[in-house]
Amino acid sequence: MNETAQMHTLEGFVAAGVILMMVMLISENTMIITPQCELGMDVQLQQTAIDVLNVLDIAPDCALQFNLNLTEHVAGYNLSEPIPQNNSLKPLDTEISNLLGDILYNVDFVYVGNGTITNDTIANGTITNDHVIMHGAPIENSMSASRFITLYNETGGTWNISSNNVQVVEVRLIIWQI
Amino acid sequence: MANITGNTHGQWIILSGMTISLTLVLLAVLANQASITGFNSSHSALEFPKEQIRDLTLGVRDYSISAAKLAYELNNTNNTNNETVRNIFTRLLNDYTSQVSTIHSIYGNNVNVTISKIVFNSTNNSIDTIWLNIYYDDGITYFACEPEIIEVI
């Protein structure tokens, strides 16, 4: 057996170890700023938005601070008042703020017509987008989630819905992190 | 040249060199794969409209049950028959579908809901079961539920 150059062999292993550590250090550092990790954060942010809307819509009233679910919050929105309103939007703002913590958000209500739903407004397909809760301008990596709720004549509020019509409202939550 | 080819010393150095280079190649491949996997999984999660489809299906189910009951109540008021209940229900569902479809069109999605079958209660004019076809298409993902069977309780 050739026993020469043993020290060189050991040097080789040490060098391999040093190179390995350097490669790991560089790869781990670059991972933080690579676009795919940014996408991963976007996925988490969007899932958070979806979860907030789900909780507000599905959770029993008693589980929420103001005993109102998402449909009741939307029904209480006054279409004729300017924003910000001191009605059901204020509890909605507080509920979302409690659930999101430091994350910033805006809320839009999107619906067909102008609050008075008739066969004509449905046929015309005109869309109204009300920015009902504003906490600033969304930044580049903002994410959004939506939930469709249905208002009937019985749900009340200032929506003008006849007994044989319904109003579909998309609640759009836009969130971003600084 | 003869000296170099005849020199058999330093075999371990050559072997360790090969081991190091192979390890580096392996690590580079693994690091690359990890990055691509992260990108693909995140991109797929953002692209696939799981929540939109779930929200649409749940919304249609909930609304259909309410609309079936409302159609029955309106029918009782007018004292008419199964066909009237069917017509009222169809109109209510069309109103709902039209609004949902219009709002989805903002995002470039095509949404449609059609009635496949309505099963009436044999003793009165109420609706027992509704068979609906639900379609969702965002240009990349196409979803069709044919039929979505809804039991009106």
Side-chain angles (χ1 to χ4, degrees), chain A residues 8-9 12 20 166 168 170 172, chain B residues 12-13 20 27 55 99 107:
Chain A
H8 289 298
T9 309
L20 193 63
V166 291
V168 179
E170 178 201 7
R172 188 189 295 156
Chain B
W12 283 108
I13 298 174
I20 292 163
L27 280 170
D55 192 33
Q99 291 184 57
Y107 305 100

Side-chain angles (χ1 to χ4, degrees), chain B residues 91-109:
Chain B
R91 186 185 59 76
L92 287 170
L93 188 72
N94 285 343
D95 284 357
Y96 175 83
T97 307
S98 174
Q99 291 184 57
V100 171
S101 176
T102 306
I103 295 171
H104 268 284
S105 67
I106 302 170
Y107 305 100
N109 305 335

Side-chain angles (χ1 to χ4, degrees), chain A residues 27-52:
Chain A
S27 63
E28 281 181 11
N29 283 338
T30 47
M31 283 293 180
I32 295 168
I33 53 161
T34 45
Q36 50 268 36
C37 285
E38 199 175 293
L39 272 180
M41 287 165 70
D42 288 350
V43 172
Q44 286 184 4
L45 205 57
Q46 191 182 45
Q47 192 57 52
T48 305
I50 292 165
D51 288 346
V52 166

Side-chain angles (χ1 to χ4, degrees), chain B residues 140-152:
Chain B
I140 299 169
T141 305
Y142 177 73
F143 168 83
C145 185
E146 297 172 311
E148 176 83 10
I149 302 171
I150 302 154
E151 197 174 343
V152 182

